[in-house]
Amino acid sequence: MKLVIVIVQDDVALDLIDSLTESGYRVTKLATTGGFLKSGNTTLLIGVEKEKLEEVLAILKEECKTRKQVVTSPSPVAGSTGVYVPYPVEIEIGGATVFVLDVDQHLKI
Amino acid sequence: MKLVIVIVQDDVALDLIDSLTESGYRVTKLATTGGFLKSGNTTLLIGVEKEKLEEVLAILKEECKTRKQVVTSPSPVAGSTGVYVPYPVEIEIGGATVFVLDVDQHLKI
Amino acid sequence: MKLVIVIVQDDVALDLIDSLTESGYRVTKLATTGGFLKSGNTTLLIGVEKEKLEEVLAILKEECKTRKQVVTSPSPVAGSTGVYVPYPVEIEIGGATVFVLDVDQHLKI
Ligand code: NI
Ligand code: NI
Ligand code: NI
């Protein structure tokens, strides 16, 4: 068995957990602050049999791939009329750091 | 040395930590949300010398074994008189997921 | 690659994270309660290439070494006049428990 430790941005974590759970994997979510990428990260633990590891890594690659997202600017800039005008900005989301560890023994009690 | 990672229900965690501490083991409790069993789980880290591993696993099996517990229903049902009557229900508590990892190096600073 | 798990007192963690980050290491901070030393501990995860492990351990030894610190007593004792008089006390801070684990695979997505 392998233990997969995944560090992802909080806003990617929920979709990732859904996707892993739907595929039958059990995920433990650790509260995390700060981190490898920027603040607002989540650490997940996933125990997986060796023969399923590639499938889990494929899900991680799909769900965590870096992509651009258009969001409405959270701090809108004042227009010439003095009225605050929200405007769309493109940000990058996704990315993950993954460690796969060998499990010496595992048991379900 | 081995690193034992244990995921248990929150309501089992305190007794388990007591029991491990009384037996001389040091336990680190990580805040956890969601998880392998159902929501409200706790993840524990226990560093243990190889020759003590069986003792730690025996404590885990004893403290985390699944058992039935009678609790008073938290959402009482209205009786025929319109009065809410709490009633006992049997729930299952316990269970744990355990990963034992090899430790390459360990040090106390 | 190695995964270094460090458990330190909260009041040492921030300086340690600064020091590791300035040296170019990425650190993930897990929320921790209770623990190996006394309550108020933080668990850090640091992924590090084998050839950098000694440098990371040297930073840990430097930042986490046990030392005495003079603090003003947080619960001042009443003097003979009935006035509460804060007074300096010497406490021991620092200390860390470190586990180094082999990483079977690691990836950045
Ligand atoms: Ni197995
Ligand atoms: Ni040892
Ligand atoms: Ni590497």
Side-chain angles (χ1 to χ4, degrees):
Chain A
M1 179 167 248
K2 303 287 183 178
L3 180 65
V4 182
I5 301 177
V6 187
I7 300 153
V8 287
Q9 281 175 271
D10 288 346
D11 47 8
V12 172
L14 287 184
D15 279 350
L16 177 57
I17 292 170
D18 267 2
S19 190
L20 288 164
T21 304
E22 280 161 24
S23 301
Y25 298 104
R26 291 177 298 185
V27 181
T28 295
K29 183 177 177 294
L30 302 178
T32 317
T33 55
F36 282 97
L37 303 162
K38 56 182 175 180
S39 59
N41 289 330
T42 296
T43 300
L44 305 178
L45 302 181
I46 310 153
V48 58
E49 295 301 328
K50 273 191 194 80
E51 60 273 19
K52 293 285 191 171
L53 180 61
E54 286 310 312
E55 188 183 317
V56 166
L57 297 182
I59 294 172
L60 293 176
K61 284 172 192 164
E62 174 58 26
E63 291 290 340
C64 302
K65 62 174 185 275
T66 309
R67 65 268 193 189
K68 289 180 170 20
Q69 195 177 48
V70 174
V71 295
T72 298
S73 154
S75 359
V77 174
S80 58
T81 58
V83 177
Y84 281 94
V85 183
Y87 67 102
V89 289
E90 202 179 62
I91 59 165
E92 200 161 85
I93 66 164
T97 300
V98 181
F99 301 106
V100 180
L101 307 178
D102 273 320
V103 174
D104 184 49
Q105 280 184 54
H106 67 112
L107 58 150
K108 287 277 302 168
I109 295 169
Chain B
M1 178 166 248
K2 302 287 184 179
L3 180 64
V4 182
I5 301 178
V6 187
I7 300 154
V8 288
Q9 283 175 269
D10 288 346
D11 47 9
V12 172
L14 287 184
D15 279 351
L16 176 58
I17 292 170
D18 267 3
S19 190
L20 287 164
T21 304
E22 279 161 24
S23 300
Y25 299 103
R26 291 177 298 185
V27 181
T28 294
K29 184 177 175 295
L30 301 179
T32 317
T33 55
F36 282 95
L37 304 163
K38 55 181 176 179
S39 60
N41 288 330
T42 296
T43 300
L44 305 178
L45 302 181
I46 311 152
V48 57
E49 295 301 327
K50 273 191 195 80
E51 60 274 19
K52 294 285 193 172
L53 180 61
E54 285 311 310
E55 190 184 315
V56 166
L57 296 182
I59 294 172
L60 293 176
K61 284 171 191 165
E62 174 58 26
E63 291 290 340
C64 302
K65 62 172 183 275
T66 309
R67 64 270 192 188
K68 288 179 169 23
Q69 196 177 47
V70 174
V71 295
T72 297
S73 154
S75 1
V77 173
S80 58
T81 59
V83 177
Y84 282 93
V85 184
Y87 66 103
V89 289
E90 203 179 62
I91 58 164
E92 199 162 85
I93 66 164
T97 299
V98 181
F99 301 105
V100 180
L101 307 178
D102 274 320
V103 174
D104 185 51
Q105 281 184 54
H106 67 111
L107 58 149
K108 287 277 299 168
I109 295 169
Chain C
M1 179 168 247
K2 302 287 184 179
L3 180 66
V4 182
I5 301 177
V6 187
I7 300 153
V8 288
Q9 283 175 270
D10 287 345
D11 48 7
V12 172
L14 287 184
D15 279 351
L16 176 58
I17 292 169
D18 267 2
S19 191
L20 287 164
T21 303
E22 279 161 23
S23 300
Y25 298 103
R26 290 176 298 184
V27 181
T28 295
K29 184 176 176 295
L30 302 178
T32 316
T33 56
F36 282 96
L37 303 162
K38 56 181 175 179
S39 59
N41 289 331
T42 296
T43 300
L44 305 178
L45 302 181
I46 310 153
V48 57
E49 296 299 328
K50 274 191 193 82
E51 61 274 19
K52 293 284 193 173
L53 180 62
E54 283 313 309
E55 189 183 315
V56 166
L57 296 181
I59 294 172
L60 292 177
K61 284 172 191 164
E62 175 58 26
E63 292 290 340
C64 303
K65 62 173 185 274
T66 310
R67 64 270 193 187
K68 288 179 171 20
Q69 195 177 46
V70 175
V71 295
T72 298
S73 155
S75 0
V77 174
S80 58
T81 59
V83 177
Y84 282 93
V85 184
Y87 66 103
V89 290
E90 203 178 63
I91 60 165
E92 198 161 85
I93 66 163
T97 299
V98 181
F99 301 105
V100 180
L101 307 179
D102 274 319
V103 174
D104 184 51
Q105 281 183 53
H106 67 112
L107 58 150
K108 288 276 300 168
I109 296 168

